[in-house]
Amino acid sequence: TTPGAKEAAVGTFMTLMANDCYDKKEQQTFHEGIKKLDDACQKANSTSFMKATPEQRTSLLTALDKEAKEQAKSKGKDDANHYFTMMKQLTLFGFFTSKPGATEVLRHEAVPGRYDGALPYKKGDRAWAE
């Protein structure tokens, strides 16, 4: 019932950010990571990432997230981030700062009202974006 990354043009955002904001080493890690992601999906599911089922994608991304967290524990100061960490960060940043992400998924007020530290919250309510 909510828009997704496609509707928010997250892929275009990720490419722009990686090319314009990352240094050469990070760009290389990111762009090689796209190929690694597809190769990992092909190996695990005998299909490309884009043709994989939602369940296959979720399983692969969960495994990559775990792998990235393990790598982060042991990486040195000068080591690049795991490609999946870069993709995940850019996906979240791109989506929640997009118009669909901010206005249709998060609660958004262009001109915020007063501060209310005791705003009622019901389980399942969306978060606020201001």
Side-chain angles (χ1 to χ4, degrees):
T1 62
T2 60
K6 226 183 260 188
E7 291 86 2
V10 171
T12 303
F13 171 83
M14 290 171 66
T15 303
L16 178 75
M17 290 296 287
N19 291 338
D20 290 356
C21 300
Y22 286 174
D23 65 29
K24 292 291 181 200
K25 185 177 179 181
E26 291 169 325
Q27 287 177 7
Q28 183 178 358
T29 299
F30 180 81
H31 291 297
E32 287 175 357
I34 293 170
K35 173 108 174 74
K36 288 179 182 179
L37 175 71
D38 207 49
D39 290 346
C41 191
Q42 190 70 41
K43 183 178 177 183
N45 303 304
S46 301
T47 188
S48 70
F49 185 79
M50 295 306 291
K51 292 180 180 175
T53 66
E55 294 79 17
Q56 290 170 326
R57 289 181 188 182
T58 299
S59 176
L60 176 63
L61 296 177
T62 301
L64 288 174
D65 192 36
K66 183 177 180 183
E67 177 184 305
K69 287 176 183 175
E70 289 299 318
Q71 178 185 316
K73 290 178 186 176
S74 63
K75 83 178 188 107
K77 185 175 134 183
D78 295 328
D79 293 337
N81 283 329
H82 191 282
Y83 70 91
F84 180 75
T85 301
M86 300 166 109
M87 290 178 183
K88 184 177 177 179
Q89 289 171 344
L90 285 175
T91 300
L92 292 170
F93 180 56
F95 181 74
F96 287 112
T97 57
S98 72
K99 184 176 181 181
T103 61
E104 296 178 48
V105 177
L106 297 173
R107 293 188 247 181
H108 175 76
E109 289 183 32
V111 180
R114 65 181 171 75
Y115 172 76
D116 184 354
L119 185 70
Y121 171 80
K122 294 185 306 278
K123 186 173 176 128
D125 277 356
R126 296 179 290 158
W128 284 93
E130 298 183 289

